[in-house]
């Protein structure tokens, strides 16, 4: 059991309370003697006071303190104050000159189920220190603005002993690592275990050779090459796109099965959830390959944006995350195509961040208070943070952006920075005033942008109005600086105004375009140039026109999306709908010049959750069962209307030759599966069954399985899949998820209940817990059953997980973040589950903060 503090013990931390640490930490020496139940950590920290008469405050939780000494003199308990959260040595016990503090502490990695600090996974030792896990290893100023050089020794009987930096000495049972780059404690890492390496070499742009290794459990070595090559591509890309070279002689990545996060950018020793490292065509889907490449890149890019330049405090988390997500998005765009990457990113932004921003958990990308920082690793910090960097890029242009980034690296290397420092480099390098732009960081909420247009005497006018609703703790919203990329098309589809960025800074603002012969068709917010909700009355014929003619691929897709949304909402509300969407889909299916991956994205209907959100935004109360029925009905109608064409595409996109996850193969495969999902509604699952039987890669196997689940005729395939893959933990996670996310809603809860009794439901493993619970909450109509039984089931499991792993329990509680959207009955039921969780005695700080914020 973890001794998490209760909510009452944890007051909110505030950005305005920031004070610099009164000591400089000169050197850090850590000696680990590993033992599952009693690992000894000897820490020697050399401090020099920066302030007179300051007490030395060190963070520490769940530690057994064996001894403390200052400059070799042992302290007695009378000399210091020891609490549940730290160790304080008063100023009168400390020398006024630089001094060395030596502590010995004992920890029990085998009992650490919260997976923060030093813990064990399948007999292997590993660490997770971001954000505040290092304090569970030793007493230390565990804050990102205290940066120091680490010298680490490890004594243990594991064959492989790893830490950050370069290896300076190694013999059986002992290793010594020195990291020459100052870093905060959250970037510390240690791994010890029976591991195998898949190794390579990377030569940097200045000709230095770097040893690269992917470390995995024995038996997994043959699933690492894609990750290794992705690492090399990332290293090269960061040199070419940002001029950033790697700075150690070795780069290690370790795959771990039990991991709370996706991956972690510890200096020179990245630790990954094994899900985002291991890949083979038989076990990983095309989407997995793309994600692995993106996450490898993301963690690698942190070496400069996060590690060399870090955050002053955790309120600035989006400084490193927003920028690094933006960089990995650029990288994936370069590797796999910008148009489809942008559409994927916007789908994710709307599905996660817009949803968060519309509910009780809405917060600014840079929050100004929190109780548990683990609860702020959110879509707003990451994805909206990336959108803000993208807007800066758009406002300054490619050259201006690069100049600002060059200045950022030059000015702040080795420092712990703030959002103010970041914006200042853009101001100094461009001469622009970004004080209004800064609101994107400090204000919560998604602005709504309303547009009206008019045409008179050759002049076309676009009139914009922006509004942001009140969010928790922020009632008054001032106008934001919004880059709006616009193009104008003539009625035959020619571009009469190529893409232009309009800068909106007022609450209401008009832009005019002269000298036009006829009224143009506007293409607004091209490439999704700002994270706003665009509202404009557009008739279906104009949307169909844009879906056919827009030069901007994002807005082309967006027009199709808007058409689908219109039809779906019409069906939910029982209104008449026309055939324009179906006709447009027919035209797109016939357009062989269009990229298959793009056509696949256009064929995917909006999710039930996004239809619910759209209804809510229009002031309607979403009915989950009606939404499910409308979406199923539209899919069936599209399949019937285009069945010959769809069947032809299904046949013509069959891959030949050996599997590759490259876009050239992945694109047609995505189109084929999108087509299958439609045909599946009218062929009784015949094609899905045949594909499941013949599939030789996981993309098709899982795609076919998902389609079969949808028809409710999956029992035999499910059993066969389980039989084949029961020994493969990553594939079995997919098995849990796919059946719950896709099954008919009336069966979802029953299935979830049965699955929790499956011996393979090892619920303390975060990946397995997430697979089952995310599957259920992702089944929109199944989760939002009118009787509230799914809510109760879900809440019961959060309560069960909380004492074991509060961080994961807290994150999974966001399934309830949309509770205010629904009818009175569902609202009450969700509210009472949240209240039941909140009232649980001994609830963790993590889950307690989340339920209280959810309840508002
Ligand atoms: Zn990151």
């Amino acid at each position: 059991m973890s001794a998490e503090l209760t909510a009452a013990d944890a007051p909110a931390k505030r950005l305005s309370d920031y004070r610099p640490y009164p000591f400089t930490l000169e050197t850090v020496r850590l000696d680990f003697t590993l033992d599952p139940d009693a690992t000894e950590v000897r820490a020697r920290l050399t401090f020099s006071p920066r302030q007179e008469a300051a007490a030395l405050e060190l963070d520490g939780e769940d530690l057994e303190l064996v001894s403390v000494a200052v400059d070799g003199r042992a302290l007695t308990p009378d000399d210091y104050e020891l609490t549940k959260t730290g160790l304080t040595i008063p100023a009168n016990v400390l020398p006024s000159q630089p001094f060395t503090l030596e502590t010995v502490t004992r920890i029990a990695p085998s009992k650490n189920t919260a997976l923060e600090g030093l813990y064990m996974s399948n007999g292997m030792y590993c660490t997770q220190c971001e954000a505040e896990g290092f304090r569970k290893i030793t007493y230390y100023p565990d804050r990102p603005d205290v940066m120091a050089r680490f010298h680490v020794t490890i004594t243990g009987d594991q064959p492989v002993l790893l830490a950050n930096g370069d290896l300076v000495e190694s013999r059986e049972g002992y290793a010594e690592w020195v990291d020459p780059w100052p870093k905060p404690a959250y970037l510390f890492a240690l791994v010890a275990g029976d591991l195998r390496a898949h190794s390579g070499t990377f030569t940097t742009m200045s000709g230095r050779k770097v040893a690269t290794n992917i470390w995995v459990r024995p038996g997994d070595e043959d699933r690492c090459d894609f990750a290794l090559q992705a690492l090399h591509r990332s290293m090269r890309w960061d040199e070419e796109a940002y001029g950033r070279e790697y700075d150690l002689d070795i780069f290690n990545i370790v795959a771990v099965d039990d991991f709370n996060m996706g991956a972690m950018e510890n200096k020179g020793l990245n630790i990954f959830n094994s899900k985002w490292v291991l890949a083979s065509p038989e076990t990983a889907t095309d989407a997995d390959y793309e994600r692995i490449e993106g996450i490898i890149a993301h963690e690698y890019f942190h070496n400069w944006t996060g590690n060399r330049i870090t955050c002053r405090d955790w309120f600035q988390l989006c400084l490193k995350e927003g920028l690094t997500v933006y960089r990995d998005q650029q990288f994936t765009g370069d590797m796999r195509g910008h148009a489809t990457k942008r559409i994927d990113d916007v789908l994710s932004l709307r599905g996660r961040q817009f949803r968060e921003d519309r509910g009780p958990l809405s917060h600014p990308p840079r929050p100004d208070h929190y109780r548990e920082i683990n609860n702020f690793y959110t879509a707003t910090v990451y994805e909206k943070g990336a959108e803000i960097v993208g807007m800066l890029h758009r406002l300054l242009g490619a050259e201006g952006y690069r100049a600002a980034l060059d200045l950022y690296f030059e000015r702040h290397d080795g420092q712990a920075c703030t959002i103010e420092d970041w914006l200042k480099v853009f101001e100094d390098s461009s001469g622009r005033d970004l004080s209004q732009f800064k609101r994107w960081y400090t204000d919560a909420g998604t602005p709504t942008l309303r547009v009206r247009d008019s045409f008179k005497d050759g002049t076309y006018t676009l009139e914009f109005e922006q509004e942001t609703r009140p969010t928790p703790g922020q009632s008054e919203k001032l106008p934001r600086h919004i880059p709006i990329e616009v193009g104008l098309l003539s009625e035959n589809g020619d571009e009469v105004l190529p893409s232009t960025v309009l800068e909106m800074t007022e609450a209401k603002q008009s832009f005019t375009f002269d000298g036009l012969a006829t009224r143009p068709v506007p293409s607004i917010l091209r490439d999704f140039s700002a994270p706003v909700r665009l509202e404009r009355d557009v008739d279906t014929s104009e949307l169909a026109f844009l879906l056919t003619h827009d030069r901007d691929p994002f807005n082309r897709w967006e027009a199709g999306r808007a058409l689908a949304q219109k039809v779906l909402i019409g069906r939910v509300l029982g209104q008449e709908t026309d055939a324009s969407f179906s006709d447009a889909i027919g035209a797109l299916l016939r357009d062989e010049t269009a990229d298959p991956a793009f056509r696949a994205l256009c064929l995917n209907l909006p999710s039930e959750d996004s239809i619910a959100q759209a209804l809510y935004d229009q002031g309607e109360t979403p009915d989950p069962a009606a939404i499910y029925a409308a979406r199923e009905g539209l899919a069936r109608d599209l399949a019937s209307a285009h069945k010959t064409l769809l069947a032809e595409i299904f046949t013509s996109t069959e891959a030949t030759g050996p599997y590759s996850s490259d876009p050239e193969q992945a694109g047609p495969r995505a189109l084929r599966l999108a087509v299958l999902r439609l045909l599946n509604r009218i062929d009784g699952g015949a094609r899905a069954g045949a594909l499941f039987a013949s599939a030789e890669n996981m993309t098709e196997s899982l795609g076919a399985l998902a389609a079969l689940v949808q028809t409710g005729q999956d029992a035999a395939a499910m059993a066969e899949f389980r039989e084949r893959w029961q020994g493969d933990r990553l594939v079995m996670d997919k098995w849990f998820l796919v059946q719950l996310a896709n099954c008919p809603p009336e069966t979802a809860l029953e299935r979830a209940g049965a699955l929790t009794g499956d011996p393979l439901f090892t619920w303390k493993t975060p990946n397995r817990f997430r697979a089952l619970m995310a599957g259920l909450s992702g089944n929109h109509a199944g989760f939002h059953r009118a009787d509230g039984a799914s809510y109760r089931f879900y809440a019961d499991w959060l309560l069960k997980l909380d004492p074991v792993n509060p961080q994961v329990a807290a994150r999974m509680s966001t399934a309830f973040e949309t509770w205010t959207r629904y009818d009175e009955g569902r609202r009450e039921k969700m509210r009472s589950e949240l209240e039941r969780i909140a009232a649980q005695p001994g609830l963790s700080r993590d889950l307690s903060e989340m339920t209280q914020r959810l309840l508002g």
Side-chain angles (χ1 to χ4, degrees), residues 130 263 265 298-299 302 305 320-321 324-325 382:
E130 186 177 358
E265 71 262 23
H298 178 96
E299 305 308 334
H302 269 313
T305 53
K320 77 175 178 79
E321 292 306 339
T324 306
V325 170
Y382 278 66

Side-chain angles (χ1 to χ4, degrees), residues 31-36 39-40 109-110 117-128 137 152-164 167 171-177 188-196 215-218 252-258 266 269-271:
D31 300 310
F32 286 83
T33 307
L34 298 176
D35 183 287
T39 288
E40 189 186 276
S110 65
L118 179 67
Y119 66 95
M120 302 196 76
S121 169
N122 298 313
M124 149 188 179
Y125 292 85
C126 64
T127 52
Q128 172 56 35
I137 294 176
V152 174
T153 72
I154 313 168
T155 304
D157 42 19
Q158 290 68 28
V160 176
L161 304 169
L162 306 173
N164 316 87
L167 182 66
R171 55 178 186 267
E172 200 181 321
Y174 179 83
E176 195 168 339
W177 293 84
F188 169 80
L190 179 153
V191 171
D194 180 14
L195 298 166
R196 301 287 185 274
W215 296 92
V216 294
R217 277 161 58 175
N252 287 314
I253 290 177
V254 181
V256 177
D257 285 350
D258 299 282
N266 318 296
L269 177 54
N270 288 0
I271 298 182

Side-chain angles (χ1 to χ4, degrees), residues 163-169 176-180 246-250:
N164 316 87
D166 290 317
L167 182 66
V168 295
E169 205 190 319
E176 195 168 339
W177 293 84
V178 173
D179 185 353
Y246 186 61
D247 53 6
L248 291 168
D249 296 334
I250 188 166

Side-chain angles (χ1 to χ4, degrees), residues 587-605:
L588 191 79
L589 288 173
R590 280 184 290 272
D591 181 2
E592 285 173 11
T593 64
D595 173 26
F598 176 80
R599 288 198 282 166
L601 285 166
C602 293
L603 283 186
N604 291 339
L605 295 178

Side-chain angles (χ1 to χ4, degrees), residues 386-458:
E387 291 298 316
I388 300 173
V389 178
M391 286 190 285
L392 285 167
H393 191 166
R394 207 173 295 269
L395 288 169
L396 268 66
E399 277 176 32
Y401 173 77
R402 178 64 196 264
L405 267 287
D406 286 348
L407 180 60
Y408 181 61
F409 294 124
E410 187 192 312
R411 186 183 280 178
H412 294 297
D413 187 14
Q415 297 179 5
C417 294
T418 60
I419 290 301
E420 284 74 13
D421 296 327
W422 163 249
L423 287 174
K424 187 83 168 56
V425 299
F426 282 85
E427 291 189 321
D428 289 352
S429 64
S430 70
R432 296 186 57 145
D433 176 3
L434 295 172
S435 45
Q436 183 185 7
F437 185 84
K438 189 181 168 188
R439 285 180 198 144
W440 283 106
Y441 283 109
T442 56
D443 289 14
T446 305
T448 296
L449 193 61
R450 294 192 189 88
V451 196
R452 279 188 309 187
D453 64 341
S454 56
F455 182 71
K456 198 176 169 210
D457 301 333

